[in-house]
Amino acid sequence: MKKSRINQIRNIGIVAHIDAGKTTVTERILYYTGRSHKMGEVHDGEAVMDWMPDEQERGITITSAVTTCQWKDFDIQIIDTPGHVDFTIEVERSLRVLDGAVGVFCAVGGVEPQSETVWRQADKYRVPKIAFINKLDRIGADFLGTVDMIRERLKANPLVLELPVGSEDDFTGVIDLLRMQQVIWDDDTLGANFTYEEISPEFRELAEKYREKLLETVAEVDDDIMEVYLSEKPVETDALIKAVRKATIGLKLVPVLCGSALKNKGIQPLLDAIVSFLPSPPDVPAIQGHQPDTGEVIECFPKEKGPLVALIFKVSMVEGRKLSYVRVYSGKLKSGGEVYNPFRKKKEKLSRILKMHANKRERCDEVGPGAIVGIIGLKESSTGETLCTSENPVLLERIEFYEPVISVAIEPKTHADQEKMDQVLEKLAAEDPTLQVRKDEDTGQTLLSGMGELHLEVIISRMLREFKTHVNVGKPQVVYRETIEKQGQGSGVFDREVAGQHHYAEVRLVLKPLERGAGNYFSSRVSDEVIPENFVPAIEKSVMESLESGTLLGYPVVDVKAVLSGGAFKEAASSELAFSVAASMACKSALEDGNPFLLDPIMKVEVLVPEAFIGDVIGDLNARNGKIESISARHGIQIIKTTVPLAAMFGYSTSLRSATQGRGTFSMYFSHFDKV
């Protein structure tokens, strides 16, 4: 990659609610940039970016796919992310390494629940965004209504850069408010050819009104434009584009464009907006890491001659080999070179560097800052870990993962499957940090825990398809948490001989309940004379490990504060082992004394239902212990927002379909744990 090219790189993600049209937008981008020579359609199962058999069958994106294309001398590296809530981790880890994002919104559905989730994730990583309002050819499309929803629901400051020419069946093109021209696409060339024309007389007044709003909004955030605007001189297009770019990168504005990806309209102006308004790697603040030993903060600037700093944001198993997806922030990665992982304190060798195009790969010798590539050869390094040099070690902040909320029991069908199953699950868990595998010690069952029913369905389908492993699956079970109702006290004494040596320790603990979501804490109130300070870390470790499985049903204990209140030791006989065991006994005893109870995962549910069926749907939600939060109307559809325990939501899609003649839809995502 030439040195001057770093300003011409755009690392972007396509994010949105399920079915808003992300993958269709990406397919059109690949076609118009010449990256692919045939448009793949999601509904035909032929989308380039949805290459997994499960994605093609279900018509949804499951795994984030990476590709690169060129537009007007710019390299655009795109990650197409899933929209389904069960695969939120794919969006989270993609946004962690991206410089910009395109939020795709359905003009009929507007801002849907998962759009809010991914938008919040982008806000968390301070990622500049563009909004693309898609599906303007659909019945019920409402461009300006969707813009209002972006303002209200996402608390964003939308800047309308385009207006649709017509809507629904009459949608033919867009009005470019920056250049004050109308863009019309040629259907005979699949939208590859388009022309700029004078704005039609019937749209002239509307265009001038929104051009004025555009200038007002930009003037509010840019002093240079404010000066020209107040002096009533015409604002130059180039100066306006420059101001919009600065405000977008500064997270002050969200440029809004529109079109219909399926009808091949609106994609080329979106590509122009991506290169004009979204940042290159040097435009965003340098990523911060810290020195592993001293904790000193280190800024990693995107310079080729700087020390190597890269982050593994995803691991994938391809044909039995481990493929690590990496974003390079500083320095160069070289094929055959050596890298250092400061988290594991190990050196690793890269055998190959691959430029990715969905599931196709192209080898390259070296890449510089801003590159997003696949690496083969890393044996130990995993998702969220940093690659650097041993001379200049840097640890970047790790990626946060979500806790699973649902589990199924699985068992191999044959003896041959038994041997394969554990290895396959290990590989799948390495790929997906939200998938957890554990053995239930009481029943001997293997429990698979994930983010939802679809998530676990896809995992089991992949076990059969990719790894030829047949398993029997039990009914889905909710992953509960445990906590205590009142303060509990407990003590434990360990006094016995182990391997010819006498061990003695006594530990007294108090467990106090905390508010929901507070987490677990440990503190010590004992002096050095009661228990020597060097034994306290062993006690803390043992208590925290004991809280991983409660006394009711063995689920993790949450929201408690453990206080070491007393104990005893003997000079010659006390040891870390004795204090660990005594602390574990004291913790179990204190848990039982604190009246333990179960916490259910509570889900936020949004149900869209035609007005005629609202009574039946609300009655069903109430029967499921749902708490209705709000009911609002939009386009003749009622939107019910509610919270419901996950245990009551199994099979809800079938009930909703039968109650609404198949016309109701719903989406849900995890909210919090609470007592039902």
Side-chain angles (χ1 to χ4, degrees):
M1 204 171 278
K2 297 189 208 81
K3 194 175 175 187
S4 61
R5 296 284 292 165
I6 191 154
N7 293 321
Q8 288 166 291
I9 294 173
R10 299 288 181 271
N11 286 325
I12 64 153
I14 311 280
V15 298
H17 186 86
I18 189 166
D19 265 355
K22 294 176 304 304
T23 302
T24 307
V25 168
T26 311
E27 293 296 322
R28 299 303 183 266
I29 286 174
L30 297 180
Y31 181 74
Y32 296 132
T33 56
R35 192 71 178 83
S36 59
H37 303 292
K38 176 178 175 284
M39 284 185 198
E41 299 296 6
V42 176
H43 52 262
D44 296 334
E46 290 180 357
V48 175
M49 302 304 275
D50 286 350
W51 55 271
M52 282 170 67
D54 275 294
E55 294 179 312
Q56 291 167 352
E57 258 179 33
R58 296 166 195 269
I60 60 168
T61 304
I62 289 168
T63 177
S64 48
V66 181
T67 189
T68 308
C69 55
Q70 278 73 38
W71 180 255
K72 297 184 177 174
D73 281 341
F74 286 84
D75 285 343
I76 304 176
Q77 300 187 105
I78 302 171
I79 300 184
D80 175 31
T81 64
H84 199 284
V85 66
D86 284 16
F87 310 106
T88 297
I89 187 62
E90 290 286 333
V91 187
E92 181 87 20
R93 55 187 178 184
S94 302
L95 286 169
R96 171 74 167 78
V97 297
L98 291 168
D99 301 324
V102 176
V104 180
F105 299 93
C106 167
V108 182
V111 177
E112 295 167 287
Q114 188 60 10
S115 304
E116 293 183 51
T117 307
V118 295
W119 201 269
R120 280 199 304 272
Q121 287 170 312
D123 283 342
K124 180 167 104 183
Y125 294 118
R126 299 188 62 72
V127 175
K129 297 168 284 290
I130 285 176
F132 179 73
I133 297 176
N134 191 25
K135 302 192 178 184
L136 281 164
D137 59 308
R138 291 263 302 273
I139 291 169
D142 182 358
F143 172 72
L144 295 174
T146 306
V147 173
D148 289 340
M149 288 177 79
I150 291 172
R151 184 180 290 106
E152 288 158 22
R153 284 203 176 186
L154 305 177
K155 304 292 180 274
N157 189 3
L159 177 72
V160 176
L161 298 184
E162 289 179 351
L163 291 172
V165 176
S167 72
E168 300 182 356
D169 288 346
D170 302 327
F171 174 66
T172 55
V174 302
I175 293 166
D176 180 343
L177 296 174
L178 287 170
R179 296 170 185 83
M180 285 304 276
Q181 285 182 306
Q182 193 163 311
V183 193
I184 300 294
W185 276 268
D186 175 11
D187 289 337
D188 296 337
T189 59
L190 292 176
N193 295 341
F194 56 98
T195 51
Y196 281 91
E197 300 172 359
E198 283 289 309
I199 296 172
S200 307
E202 69 264 34
F203 294 111
R204 189 87 214 172
E205 194 181 323
L206 186 71
E208 280 169 1
K209 177 186 162 188
Y210 274 89
R211 165 75 177 190
E212 195 63 24
K213 278 191 177 181
L214 163 68
L215 294 174
E216 271 175 33
T217 311
V218 178
E220 280 169 19
V221 296
D222 189 281
D223 294 343
D224 296 341
I225 299 293
M226 174 70 88
E227 213 172 291
V228 180
Y229 180 67
L230 291 177
S231 65
E232 297 189 356
K233 292 178 188 164
V235 179
E236 294 287 327
T237 304
D238 287 350
L240 195 53
I241 289 172
K242 199 172 161 189
V244 173
R245 175 180 178 78
K246 187 178 162 193
T248 306
I249 294 171
L251 304 175
K252 292 174 183 169
L253 294 176
V254 175
V256 179
L257 296 100
C258 60
S260 166
L262 192 64
K263 294 285 191 283
N264 312 316
K265 293 177 173 67
I267 300 299
Q268 295 92 336
L270 174 64
L271 282 161
D272 287 340
I274 287 167
V275 300
S276 299
F277 307 130
L278 289 180
S280 66
D283 291 329
V284 290
I287 192 163
Q288 290 191 338
H290 63 267
Q291 216 283 346
D293 301 324
T294 63
E296 173 202 349
V297 174
I298 298 169
E299 289 201 319
C300 311
F301 293 96
K303 293 180 179 168
E304 279 197 1
K305 294 206 164 92
L308 172 69
V309 179
L311 181 76
I312 302 170
F313 66 94
K314 177 176 164 155
V315 170
S316 183
M317 293 293 166
V318 180
E319 293 156 11
R321 301 190 71 178
K322 184 172 168 183
L323 174 67
S324 306
Y325 287 83
V326 170
R327 158 79 196 252
V328 183
Y329 286 101
S330 166
K332 281 184 179 178
L333 267 182
K334 295 185 181 174
S335 186
E338 196 175 66
V339 290
Y340 176 67
N341 180 335
F343 179 74
R344 297 186 185 268
K345 297 188 165 47
K346 291 206 167 157
K347 288 184 177 178
E348 299 233 49
K349 202 169 173 67
L350 312 182
S351 55
R352 284 187 213 162
I353 299 175
L354 306 166
K355 281 221 158 158
M356 306 301 297
H357 176 48
N359 61 334
K360 297 182 176 66
R361 305 180 280 284
E362 184 188 316
R363 289 178 73 161
C364 51
D365 295 330
E366 65 172 44
V367 287
I372 294 178
V373 289
I375 289 178
I376 287 179
L378 300 180
K379 288 186 173 64
E380 310 227 4
S381 302
S382 185
T383 304
E385 292 174 12
T386 312
L387 301 178
C388 55
T389 59
S390 49
E391 298 80 42
N392 294 290
V394 178
L395 256 179
L396 297 177
E397 186 190 344
R398 289 178 64 105
I399 299 168
E400 285 177 24
F401 301 129
Y402 296 88
E403 286 294 311
V405 294
I406 186 170
S407 64
V408 292
I410 60 168
E411 59 185 31
K413 280 192 175 174
T414 66
H415 186 67
D417 292 323
Q418 171 72 60
E419 291 169 7
K420 280 199 291 187
M421 189 177 84
D422 292 342
Q423 294 172 348
V424 169
L425 289 174
E426 197 179 310
K427 285 178 180 174
L428 290 169
E431 267 190 35
D432 183 350
T434 56
L435 180 72
Q436 288 185 6
V437 183
R438 70 182 179 91
K439 283 264 195 305
D440 188 312
E441 288 173 14
D442 298 333
T443 62
Q445 284 179 309
T446 300
L447 296 177
L448 204 57
S449 305
M451 299 301 292
E453 288 181 85
L454 179 64
H455 184 200
L456 295 178
E457 258 179 51
V458 167
I459 293 293
I460 286 150
S461 166
R462 287 187 61 197
M463 288 176 77
L464 180 59
R465 275 199 172 142
E466 292 175 35
F467 301 100
K468 308 289 183 281
T469 307
H470 299 258
V471 291
N472 293 321
V473 184
K475 275 189 172 174
Q477 298 287 321
V478 176
V479 179
Y480 295 98
R481 294 288 183 271
E482 295 183 20
T483 192
I484 51 175
E485 202 161 20
K486 64 179 182 72
Q487 186 168 302
Q489 297 189 355
S491 62
V493 179
F494 185 79
D495 186 4
R496 66 177 62 168
E497 204 168 284
V498 179
Q501 193 176 345
H502 185 215
H503 291 264
Y504 176 84
E506 183 187 340
V507 171
R508 285 198 292 280
L509 275 181
V510 175
L511 290 186
K512 299 176 180 178
L514 299 175
E515 60 186 38
R516 293 291 79 81
N520 292 340
Y521 294 95
F522 176 88
S523 67
S524 170
R525 278 208 318 243
V526 300
S527 63
D528 225 10
E529 289 82 48
V530 179
I531 295 176
E533 203 178 315
N534 56 316
F535 291 127
V536 173
I539 294 170
E540 179 178 357
K541 185 172 180 240
S542 177
V543 168
M544 288 307 190
E545 282 173 0
S546 298
L547 292 176
E548 284 172 16
S549 65
T551 53
L552 276 179
L553 295 172
Y555 289 108
V557 179
V558 294
D559 306 333
V560 297
K561 182 177 183 179
V563 181
L564 177 60
S565 57
F569 80 106
K570 289 180 181 172
E571 195 72 55
S574 286
S575 63
E576 282 193 2
L577 167 73
F579 274 107
S580 288
V581 178
S584 176
M585 292 157 72
C587 187
K588 292 283 184 234
S589 159
L591 278 173
E592 283 166 8
D593 187 46
N595 285 5
F597 64 90
L598 285 181
L599 292 173
D600 284 68
I602 307 294
M603 310 303 283
K604 265 196 186 307
V605 181
E606 186 166 297
V607 188
L608 277 70
V609 55
E611 211 155 324
F613 306 106
I614 192 161
D616 293 346
V617 171
I618 289 176
D620 184 34
L621 288 168
N622 287 336
R624 293 170 189 269
N625 269 341
K627 288 182 183 167
I628 308 287
E629 291 179 345
S630 69
I631 300 171
S632 56
R634 186 170 79 229
H635 304 312
I637 293 241
Q638 296 291 324
I639 300 154
I640 306 165
K641 289 190 174 182
T642 174
T643 55
V644 190
L646 175 63
M649 287 302 288
F650 290 138
Y652 181 63
S653 54
T654 312
S655 318
L656 182 65
R657 279 190 204 122
S658 58
T660 61
Q661 297 172 4
R663 291 163 64 195
T665 60
F666 81 103
S667 56
M668 72 173 181
Y669 54 96
F670 173 71
S671 171
H672 62 285
F673 281 99
D674 211 343
K675 190 175 185 179
V676 176

